[in-house]
Amino acid sequence: MGEGRLSEGDPEIKAAQSASRPSGEAQQPIMGPCRRALHPLSLLVQASALVVALALGTLPAFLPCELQPQGVVNCNWLFLKSVPHFPVAAPRGNVTSLLLRSNRIHHLRASDFARLPSLRCLDLKWNCPPVTLSPMNYPCHMTIERGTFLAVPTLEELNLSYNNITTVPALPSSLVSLSLSRTNILALDSAAFAGLRALRFLYMDGNCYYRNPCRWALRVAPGALLGLGNLTHLSLKYNNLTAVPRSLPRSLESLLLSYNHIVSLAPGDLANLTALRVLDIGGNCRRCDHARNPCRECPRGFPRLHPDTFSHLSHLKGLVLKDSSLYSLNASWFRGLGNLTVLDLSENFLYNCITKTMAFESLPQLRKLNLSFNYHKKVSFAQLHLASSFSSLTSLEELDMHGIFFRSLSETTLHSLAHLPMLKSLHLQMNFINQAQLSIFGGFLSLKYVDLSDNRISGAAKLAASTREVGGGQKIQLQPGDLEPAPLDPRSSEDFMPSCKTLNFTLDLSRNNLVMVQPEMFAQLSHLQCLHLSYNSIAQAVNGSQFVPLVSLRVLDLSHNKLDLYHGRSFTELPKLEALDLSYNSQPFSMQGIGHNLSFVAQLHALRYLSLAHNNIDSRVSQQLCSSSLQALDFSGNALGRMWAEGDLYSHFFQGLKGLVRLDLSQNHLHTLLAPTLDNLPKSLQLLRLRGNHLAFFNWSNLALLPELEVLDLAGNQLKTLTNGSLPADTRLRWLDLSSNSISMVASGFFAQAKLLRELNLSANALKTVDPSWFGPWAGTLKVLDVSANPLHCSCGAVFVDFLLEVQAAVPGLPRHVRCGSPGQLQGRSIFEQDLRLCLDEALSWDCFGLSLLAVVLGLAVPLLHHLCGWDLWYCFHLCLAWLPRRGRRRSGDALTYDAFVVFDKAQGAVADWVYNELRVQLEERRGRRALRLCLEERDWLPGKTLFENLWASVYSSRKTLFVLAHTDRVSGLLRASFLLAQQRLLEDRKDVVVLVILRPNAHRSRYVRLRQRLCRQSVLLWPQQPRGQGSFWAQLGTALTRDNHHFYNRNFCRGPTAE
């Protein structure tokens, strides 16, 4: 709860900005009397059920909040407008912490917390923020009634940060930690904290700064805090203070005064604070060229620190002087600070000072020194030589020197550090180093971590040449873009690659300019155990000679490069290599026709972890991976789906990994996972990830092929149902993730046989209910059952509510994150916020409403219409009777036998051949389920009938009449007769059924064809002479034959024929 246990100011501001979510008041559960008349029986039954359930303790006791371990009640982010009052049946005496952060509570009443006798921690942060801190600049003022907190005599921690309060409320004497940061309290006197003898932590940061402006700076009256005899931690950052408050308690051990405007310090300012252990006065006289927020330049001649400012602080262990515009260090500042262990001098102007200062000679206990970003504006030094006084820091464990900007790293650079017996961590990143003699670190016996990332190292250092070229003091000018930060490192496969934190020596060369690795780079680094080379441009073909000196290397990170895995002896020079990260080296694998050799894996006998993730591997690689030592393989982000589609070529790709325990096949474009595929996976597998593929079906009985499998991740696939069988009885599965699929149905007993299953994730699916029959008798053994983000149907008497209450200890976020998806009135609300008025029989209600409405309408309409227009209604009725038979015949005629009657000149062989071999085949045989039914004279006309009878029947029993013409200027015979019948049908039924296909587009066109093209262009089609245009022709012809010509008429000329 204390402000000091959170990150400093700015992270809190980011958290505040994240509060800009859609606003709305949290809906409280409706369990009391309703506001209007209800169905008496339904209301009585439902109310009785809820009362009984609550009395038996089955419902979550602290709705709408969530009870967490150790008596913590979490009410964060519920958009509450008042403090919830919990029922008498709830174990209110066990509540030790109440979290009400990020709500809309603007008024605190005296009775709000009186019924919580054991409350020790209360968090009310971000309920009514000051207007400038509010995401929408919404004005708000929090009212706190007198006695609100006095009613809780056990209260120890109180957080009122980010609330618009102007005075300190009355507080109980038991309070130990108090946070009043980012409020509008601008004056402190002795009465504000009267009686708080137990208070140890006080945070009042950001009450007057650029994000929370004020009319005057925070005023702390002399002696205002003197009555807090046990106060050990005081934070007054970001308050525009111009001097250290007077008469502070002698008990203070931590004093944070950073980012005010205190530009001078004298011995009297800290005279009585002899117990002080941590002092932060950084950011009071800022270096604005490196500021990330609004900054006020340090006045000329400041800061002014008296030589004896800190001399009496003999217990001081941490001193922060960062961002203070210091150009030099006075050795007398540190006189008497023999116990100082942490010193922060970052973001100053000490680029020259650190090469000659003697200020560090009196700091034998210093363990951590931060000198980062002490660079010269727009200058990069050729070399850097640390002052000899650094050798006096015999207890130094961590030195941060990033952002000083020097281009050459040699033995003389760190000569003063070479014999420090305790030095373990050295940070040299972001210095624009392009020449680095890495062998110098071989002489640092205790060094465990060296960070040279974000530099410009391109290969082995050429020391002689670099020394002659740049000399000791030569400078070059930097461009403004050189100071821009590098992109952040995205998360990688952390579960499959071990950490280097426990290893003896780690070297980080990531984000440099390396294009190849040379053995000379690592001379005298035989004890190196972890090497990071990620985010370089290494594009060489590794052949087993690049890392020869690194005989002790155990972890090698080569991710985000361009490595060519061509040689079969790659990395074999590393006998102790246990973890190898080759992820995100996709460029060589994307080169068409280039093969890749993965046989080197079999020769790495100590290798246990391997990552080949996100390389887009899909072909031309070794047919099988072989290793007897490999335990974890990350093969995510490749194209295994295409590899397994190549017959049996890669079907045994993983079978040679005899001891493999964990395998990640996520994002591999898998559409199916057949039994032979699973059978070819190593039988030793205990964890299998298939996240983010395209699996729409999974045969669950195939899990018997992996007898040791304990963890299966199928999240982010396309599973629709879990109805094909069930989990096998002999499975050892204990963790199953099916989240982010589209599962809407689960078969009864699906999980019943998985007796060892303990964690099941069904979140973000399409489940309408959660049925206890899915789990059989083992539902109570589940430790985690996640069903959040499902559109549960909250009907009256829903079975899943009772079931989730039975296993509520296993359901994370049950009161807040398990929400209704239907009916509409409850959508997005908690399953426990059911309105009793919705529990009526909805179907019966709608039926009764419809019948009553119909009776009322008929009772009013019939007499009224009879009186006003009786004769007109009689006439319309008989007119409809006369029209109905004709309409009936027309509807019966709509069930036509054919889609099109094809008319053409049989005497023209080319035309007939095109009709039978092209038109018929395309429309009847190659359209599949969309095939059309054509009427052809020689095939479909009935023998014995006259020509005119067949012709009439063909035209009137087809939806369209298709004329296939070689030319349009001479039409006679059957073509002419068919055209006349089609025109007759247009006059009788007002249906235009003519579609013209002209096989010779260059032939002379008649006036009728040209007119029809102008009026109804899509019914006149021209056969293309180029083969590539035939696909478009058949698509247009299919549209013309299946849609009414009425839709094709040009509206600029006519509306087309319309049916009566």
Side-chain angles (χ1 to χ4, degrees):
M1 282 292 299
E3 191 79 358
R5 304 178 196 181
L6 305 174
S7 58
E8 181 182 341
D10 292 314
E12 290 185 355
I13 296 173
K14 294 179 181 179
Q17 292 172 341
S18 68
S20 57
R21 304 183 178 180
S23 60
E25 178 185 357
Q27 299 294 329
Q28 300 290 335
I30 301 177
M31 297 182 181
C34 299
R35 299 180 181 177
R36 59 183 181 184
L38 303 174
H39 193 290
L41 181 59
S42 176
L43 175 59
L44 180 61
V45 171
Q46 294 297 322
S48 301
L50 286 174
V51 170
V52 171
L54 187 59
L56 296 176
T58 55
L59 280 176
F62 294 96
L63 287 174
C65 307
E66 180 181 357
L67 179 62
Q68 296 176 343
Q70 301 179 350
V72 177
V73 177
N74 189 347
C75 303
N76 293 339
W77 288 105
L78 291 180
F79 303 104
L80 302 172
K81 285 194 172 181
S82 61
V83 177
H85 290 176
F86 305 119
V88 178
R92 296 180 294 189
N94 297 333
V95 177
T96 59
S97 299
L98 180 59
L99 310 181
L100 289 164
R101 179 176 298 195
S102 299
N103 284 287
R104 301 280 168 77
I105 303 173
H106 299 170
H107 191 109
L108 295 176
R109 295 174 173 81
S111 60
D112 282 343
F113 311 106
R115 296 182 178 85
L116 301 174
S118 302
L119 187 64
R120 296 200 301 269
C121 175
L122 178 59
D123 187 354
L124 287 162
K125 181 179 179 181
W126 200 267
N127 273 277
C128 181
V131 60
T132 54
L133 294 176
S134 174
M136 303 300 293
N137 290 333
Y138 179 76
C140 172
H141 180 75
M142 176 174 278
T143 302
I144 304 177
E145 295 182 2
R146 181 171 181 81
T148 298
F149 304 117
L150 295 176
V152 192
T154 58
L155 192 63
E156 296 179 359
E157 296 185 25
L158 176 60
N159 191 345
L160 288 171
S161 300
Y162 287 92
N163 287 299
N164 189 359
I165 54 177
T166 55
T167 58
V168 180
L171 301 170
S173 59
S174 59
L175 206 61
V176 174
S177 176
L178 174 62
S179 179
L180 297 171
S181 299
R182 272 78 182 180
T183 63
N184 290 127
I185 299 175
L186 297 175
L188 295 179
D189 53 28
S190 57
F193 302 106
L196 301 183
R197 304 183 188 279
L199 192 66
R200 295 177 54 199
F201 303 92
L202 176 59
Y203 307 93
M204 290 193 64
D205 303 328
N207 286 2
C208 184
Y209 75 119
Y210 65 92
R211 285 294 309 278
N212 189 17
C214 55
R215 288 176 293 178
W216 57 79
L218 177 68
R219 299 174 181 175
V220 183
L225 306 176
L226 199 57
L228 304 177
N230 289 314
L231 190 67
T232 59
H233 185 102
L234 175 61
S235 183
L236 296 173
K237 299 180 292 185
Y238 289 99
N239 280 303
N240 282 339
L241 294 173
T242 56
V244 178
R246 299 293 179 181
S247 302
L248 294 176
R250 300 178 62 88
S251 58
L252 273 183
E253 297 180 2
S254 177
L255 177 59
L256 310 182
L257 295 171
S258 58
Y259 294 98
N260 285 286
H261 297 298
I262 305 173
V263 296
S264 61
L265 282 176
D269 293 332
L270 306 170
N272 62 328
L273 304 180
T274 55
L276 208 60
R277 295 175 180 270
V278 177
L279 176 61
D280 183 358
I281 54 174
N284 279 281
C285 201
R286 302 187 64 186
R287 173 178 183 166
C288 289
D289 67 306
H290 193 251
R292 64 174 181 177
N293 47 37
C295 177
R296 187 165 72 180
E297 287 285 352
C298 187
R300 184 178 296 275
F302 289 89
R304 295 176 182 174
L305 298 181
H306 191 277
D308 296 326
T309 299
F310 313 116
S311 59
H312 61 287
L313 303 179
S314 58
H315 297 287
L316 196 66
K317 291 188 175 182
L319 176 60
V320 179
L321 293 171
K322 65 177 293 187
D323 202 2
S324 297
S325 299
L326 296 175
Y327 285 85
S328 61
L329 297 175
N330 191 335
S332 60
W333 292 345
F334 308 112
R335 187 172 56 245
L337 302 183
N339 292 316
L340 193 67
T341 59
V342 178
L343 177 60
D344 189 347
L345 295 170
S346 61
E347 301 182 63
N348 284 290
F349 297 96
L350 301 175
Y351 39 84
N352 287 322
C353 176
I354 59 178
T355 64
K356 54 188 177 182
T357 183
M358 305 301 293
F360 299 132
E361 291 183 343
S362 58
L363 299 174
Q365 299 298 321
L366 194 66
R367 296 181 182 178
K368 183 175 180 180
L369 175 60
N370 191 346
L371 295 171
S372 61
F373 291 106
N374 274 278
Y375 62 91
H376 192 292
K377 291 182 181 180
K378 298 184 179 181
V379 172
S380 172
F381 292 93
Q383 294 180 353
L384 178 70
H385 304 285
L386 293 180
S388 59
S389 62
F390 279 87
S391 60
S392 303
L393 302 175
T394 55
S395 298
L396 191 65
E397 297 180 1
E398 181 177 350
L399 175 60
D400 193 339
M401 293 174 54
H402 76 273
I404 298 180
F405 305 158
F406 58 98
R407 304 191 306 278
S408 177
L409 176 63
S410 62
E411 186 176 0
T412 57
T413 305
L414 305 178
H415 177 73
S416 302
L417 307 176
H419 302 290
L420 296 182
M422 305 295 291
L423 187 62
K424 297 179 181 179
S425 181
L426 183 59
H427 299 269
L428 296 168
Q429 68 268 31
M430 210 179 302
N431 275 302
F432 303 112
I433 298 172
N434 53 31
Q435 294 288 332
Q437 185 182 358
L438 302 180
S439 60
I440 63 177
F441 300 116
F444 290 73
L445 300 180
S446 61
L447 199 59
K448 289 189 174 183
Y449 180 73
V450 177
D451 191 348
L452 279 166
S453 61
D454 293 292
N455 281 291
R456 294 177 175 178
I457 301 173
S458 58
K462 299 179 181 179
L463 295 180
S466 64
T467 304
R468 286 195 300 269
E469 289 175 3
V470 296
Q474 182 180 350
K475 306 175 183 179
I476 64 171
Q477 295 295 321
L478 291 178
Q479 300 300 322
D482 292 334
L483 298 179
E484 294 180 1
L488 297 176
D489 187 11
R491 293 189 61 183
S492 57
S493 303
E494 298 173 353
D495 297 339
F496 283 74
M497 297 301 295
S499 172
C500 294
K501 294 180 180 179
T502 59
L503 300 183
N504 291 334
F505 186 25
T506 298
L507 175 61
D508 191 346
L509 289 171
S510 59
R511 292 190 178 89
N512 276 278
N513 293 342
L514 293 172
V515 295
M516 62 183 303
V517 179
Q518 301 168 322
E520 297 81 11
M521 295 172 56
F522 309 110
Q524 302 181 25
L525 293 180
S526 59
H527 64 297
L528 183 64
Q529 293 188 338
C530 180
L531 176 61
H532 294 285
L533 293 171
S534 59
Y535 289 97
N536 280 280
S537 301
I538 304 174
Q540 69 187 123
V542 286
N543 57 11
S545 63
Q546 284 74 26
F547 304 97
V548 171
L550 305 179
V551 293
S552 301
L553 195 67
R554 297 171 60 184
V555 178
L556 177 59
D557 183 1
L558 284 164
S559 61
H560 296 275
N561 281 286
K562 306 172 184 178
L563 286 179
D564 185 359
L565 302 177
Y566 176 75
H567 297 282
R569 295 191 56 80
S570 303
F571 310 109
T572 54
E573 72 273 29
L574 302 172
K576 296 184 179 181
L577 188 63
E578 298 180 10
L580 177 60
D581 191 348
L582 298 174
S583 60
Y584 294 96
N585 280 270
S586 60
Q587 180 174 335
F589 291 97
S590 62
M591 298 171 64
Q592 298 295 328
I594 303 298
H596 308 280
N597 193 348
L598 301 180
S599 61
F600 67 88
V601 177
Q603 304 180 53
L604 302 179
H605 302 294
L607 191 65
R608 293 190 296 160
Y609 306 93
L610 175 63
S611 177
L612 294 169
H614 300 281
N615 283 317
N616 294 325
I617 300 174
D618 61 353
S619 62
R620 292 187 173 89
V621 295
S622 303
Q623 297 182 19
Q624 190 176 37
L625 287 175
C626 297
S627 176
S628 58
S629 60
L630 196 63
Q631 297 180 3
L633 173 61
D634 188 352
F635 202 75
S636 60
N638 289 293
L640 197 56
R642 289 196 289 270
M643 293 173 63
W644 281 341
E646 299 293 335
D648 295 333
L649 186 61
Y650 297 107
S651 59
H652 302 277
F653 189 68
F654 303 106
Q655 201 168 29
L657 305 176
K658 302 300 182 182
L660 195 65
V661 176
R662 291 178 286 175
L663 177 60
D664 192 343
L665 300 179
S666 303
Q667 302 176 33
N668 263 281
H669 306 284
L670 296 173
H671 292 267
T672 183
L673 208 57
L674 302 178
T677 303
L678 285 175
D679 194 28
N680 288 329
L681 294 180
K683 303 300 180 183
S684 56
L685 271 186
Q686 296 180 12
L687 182 148
L688 177 60
R689 284 184 178 172
L690 295 165
R691 177 183 293 261
N693 283 289
H694 307 289
L695 297 173
F697 175 83
F698 190 87
N699 192 341
W700 300 98
S701 60
N702 290 340
L703 290 179
L705 301 174
L706 300 173
E708 303 296 327
L709 193 64
E710 297 181 3
V711 177
L712 178 60
D713 187 350
L714 284 166
N717 280 279
Q718 299 174 8
L719 300 175
K720 300 293 190 299
T721 61
L722 300 179
T723 55
N724 54 316
S726 63
L727 296 180
D730 56 347
T731 182
R732 300 184 61 180
L733 210 60
R734 58 178 179 82
W735 191 91
L736 178 60
D737 191 346
L738 295 170
S739 61
S740 301
N741 280 275
S742 301
I743 300 172
S744 59
M745 184 180 300
V746 181
S748 178
F750 183 83
F751 306 102
Q753 300 187 67
K755 301 178 182 179
L756 300 179
L757 190 63
R758 294 296 178 266
E759 297 186 27
L760 176 61
N761 191 344
L762 290 170
S763 62
N765 279 287
L767 295 173
K768 299 288 186 180
T769 184
V770 182
D771 200 315
S773 65
W774 300 349
F775 309 94
W778 310 108
T781 62
L782 288 174
K783 294 183 179 179
V784 176
L785 174 59
D786 193 346
V787 293
S788 59
N790 277 287
L792 299 173
H793 182 63
C794 298
S795 61
C796 299
V799 177
F800 71 84
V801 177
D802 297 331
F803 171 67
L804 293 179
L805 288 173
E806 292 177 7
V807 296
Q808 59 180 294
V811 183
L814 177 60
R816 300 192 298 166
H817 302 303
V818 181
R819 300 179 179 273
C820 301
S822 60
Q825 298 90 333
L826 293 174
Q827 186 174 6
R829 296 169 60 181
S830 170
I831 61 173
F832 302 112
E833 294 186 22
Q834 187 175 136
D835 193 332
L836 298 178
R837 291 168 291 184
L838 301 177
C839 289
L840 303 174
D841 191 335
E842 293 186 6
L844 178 61
S845 300
W846 279 109
D847 292 342
C848 294
F849 172 74
L851 290 175
S852 60
L853 180 62
L854 180 61
V856 171
V857 170
L858 291 177
L860 293 176
V862 172
L864 184 62
L865 292 175
H866 182 268
H867 177 72
L868 296 178
C869 48
W871 187 90
D872 294 329
L873 290 176
W874 177 87
Y875 176 81
C876 293
F877 174 74
H878 285 279
L879 186 63
C880 291
L881 287 180
W883 178 77
L884 282 176
R886 181 169 179 262
R887 184 65 176 174
R889 287 194 299 270
R890 183 173 297 179
R891 288 182 179 177
S892 65
D894 287 341
L896 301 176
T897 307
Y898 301 103
D899 293 297
F901 169 45
V902 184
V903 188
F904 59 96
D905 190 354
K906 295 185 294 181
Q908 299 180 14
V911 176
D913 180 75
W914 185 86
V915 169
Y916 290 122
N917 296 323
E918 289 285 342
L919 178 69
R920 183 190 60 80
V921 172
Q922 289 289 342
L923 298 184
E924 288 189 341
E925 296 179 4
R926 295 187 180 177
R927 288 175 59 92
R929 291 179 297 176
R930 298 182 296 111
L932 301 178
R933 297 165 298 172
L934 301 181
C935 178
L936 299 173
E937 174 185 349
E938 295 184 356
R939 183 186 68 179
D940 300 306
W941 280 16
L942 296 178
K945 287 189 176 183
T946 65
L947 182 144
F948 185 78
E949 288 177 338
N950 276 310
L951 184 60
W952 189 92
S954 298
V955 172
Y956 277 86
S957 61
S958 301
R959 182 173 288 105
K960 294 291 179 69
T961 300
L962 176 62
F963 294 88
V964 181
L965 307 173
H967 51 79
T968 62
D969 53 345
R970 296 184 306 275
V971 176
S972 60
L974 185 64
L975 284 170
R976 183 177 181 83
S978 301
F979 182 78
L980 293 176
L981 283 177
Q983 293 297 96
Q984 181 178 342
R985 187 175 176 186
L986 172 62
L987 296 175
E988 289 182 355
D989 296 339
R990 300 184 67 82
K991 286 187 178 180
D992 184 4
V993 297
V994 174
V995 176
L996 302 180
V997 172
I998 303 174
L999 298 180
R1000 298 178 185 173
N1002 296 328
H1004 174 73
R1005 300 175 196 172
S1006 66
R1007 285 178 293 177
Y1008 172 81
V1009 173
R1010 284 181 286 169
L1011 178 60
R1012 188 168 185 86
Q1013 279 186 305
R1014 183 66 61 87
L1015 298 180
C1016 189
R1017 177 174 292 275
Q1018 290 176 271
S1019 65
V1020 180
L1021 304 175
L1022 305 179
W1023 174 248
Q1025 299 305 305
Q1026 298 295 332
R1028 61 183 180 184
Q1030 294 178 7
S1032 175
F1033 169 84
W1034 294 118
Q1036 294 176 11
L1037 181 57
T1039 302
L1041 294 179
T1042 54
R1043 296 195 64 188
D1044 195 332
N1045 284 357
H1046 171 72
H1047 300 288
F1048 302 149
Y1049 274 83
N1050 191 332
R1051 305 301 180 189
N1052 294 326
F1053 296 95
C1054 64
R1055 294 183 299 173
T1058 55
E1060 292 180 350

